[in-house]
Amino acid sequence: MRRAWKGCLLAAPLLLGFLLFYVGPFAQVVWDSLSQGTGKSQLFVGLENYSRMFQNHMFLLAFGNSLLFLGVGLPVILLLSLALALFFKEQAQRFPLLRTVFLLPYVMPVAGTVLLIDLLFSEQGLLNQLLLALGLPLGDWLQSPAAFWVMLLLYLWKSAGYSVVLLLAGLMAIPPDHYAVAQVEGAGRLQAFRYVTLPQLWYALFIAFVFSLINAFKCFREIFLVGGEHPHQSVYMLQHFINNAFQNLNYQRLSVASVLLFCVIALALGLCWLWVMRKEAARS
């Protein structure tokens, strides 16, 4: 009992800080999303703010674009990272510096990334110069529907390397004896991947999914610096909507959008974790 009390006392500052700086503000955001007015004049209105939000054209545009970006980007980045990790597994074991190379795009400063986007995809960028030299029509890559795919390509280039490093660590943790046994049993490469690699890689894939999800929302920084507060509608994300609501001091709209964003992230993580647990249960 004395040890338990000592443990509680040691954890108390951390728990107090978590309650004060995370749980408390989030509870205030939830209350603001369910009320009207500010300060002492706030009145509880239930889900009325949420109902109005789903009738707002700009919110629906931002929410749909964010879901589309996640729905396309997350599966592609996980498949791409897994393919690269499998391809470079042996090279990464012999040359540890290769893992550092994969992280270079991830640690590249945001300003440098934005300059690179402008260099490649602006009206006078290298891509248009190449099209001009080939006699092909020029493209408005950052102020057209193509902007969505440019930003998706940026997300893949900047974040895939981090996931590759995580998956390489998971692959290297698999005992080589398991592959030797599979080979003795007559298993081919695809069978070894299905029955040896994947069952022992679920946790690494889940961690890669979590960081890829976080990095997908971090990509807003580059989108904001390239397109400003009002970019092309194909890359108008939920963070743009939240930022504009904050500038207009519309706390109810800001709070509703923030709560819905939290629900999307929590739902994605929860579904992925349940999937991993089902795979682990089937394995055992």
Side-chain angles (χ1 to χ4, degrees), residues 232-246:
H232 187 266
Q233 63 176 9
S234 63
V235 288
Y236 185 79
M237 300 296 179
L238 200 53
Q239 296 95 320
H240 284 100
F241 185 85
I242 293 174
N243 183 70
N244 293 338
F246 177 77

Side-chain angles (χ1 to χ4, degrees), residues 156-209:
L156 296 175
W157 172 77
K158 192 171 179 65
S159 303
Y162 195 90
S163 298
V164 170
V165 173
L166 293 174
L167 294 178
L168 280 173
L171 289 172
M172 293 177 184
I174 301 175
D177 296 344
H178 293 191
Y179 292 105
V181 172
Q183 188 174 7
V184 171
E185 294 293 332
R189 288 189 176 182
L190 289 178
Q191 290 175 317
F193 173 75
R194 179 179 178 183
Y195 296 106
V196 178
T197 303
L198 274 184
Q200 300 184 70
L201 203 62
W202 293 127
Y203 287 112
L205 281 169
F206 175 73
I207 295 173
F209 173 83

Side-chain angles (χ1 to χ4, degrees), residues 202-203 274-284:
W202 293 127
Y203 287 112
L274 287 176
W275 180 64
V276 171
M277 289 296 98
R278 286 183 60 185
K279 292 295 184 180
E280 188 66 21
R283 175 188 168 193
S284 59

Side-chain angles (χ1 to χ4, degrees), residues 74-91:
L74 289 177
V76 171
I77 198 171
L78 289 177
L79 291 174
L80 177 63
S81 301
L82 180 58
L84 290 173
L86 291 170
F87 184 79
F88 288 105
K89 178 184 175 182
E90 295 183 2
Q91 291 86 341

Side-chain angles (χ1 to χ4, degrees), residues 262-273:
F262 170 80
C263 291
V264 170
I265 296 174
L267 179 62
L269 291 177
L271 291 176
C272 186
W273 180 249

Side-chain angles (χ1 to χ4, degrees), residues 58-136:
M58 296 307 297
F59 170 77
L60 293 177
L61 175 65
F63 195 69
N65 285 340
S66 298
L67 290 181
L68 180 62
F69 192 86
L70 293 176
V72 176
L74 289 177
V76 171
I77 198 171
L78 289 177
L79 291 174
L80 177 63
S81 301
L82 180 58
L84 290 173
L86 291 170
F87 184 79
F88 288 105
K89 178 184 175 182
E90 295 183 2
Q91 291 86 341
Q93 289 175 328
R94 293 198 301 265
F95 308 104
L97 187 62
L98 184 61
R99 281 169 280 182
T100 305
V101 174
F102 281 119
L103 290 175
L104 288 179
Y106 185 77
V107 300
M108 186 174 180
V110 176
T113 305
V114 173
L115 288 175
L116 180 62
I117 295 173
D118 285 335
L119 178 65
L120 293 175
F121 298 104
S122 64
E123 292 185 5
Q124 304 298 325
L126 293 179
L127 183 56
N128 273 344
Q129 294 299 322
L130 177 62
L131 293 176
L132 182 63
L134 295 175
L136 298 175

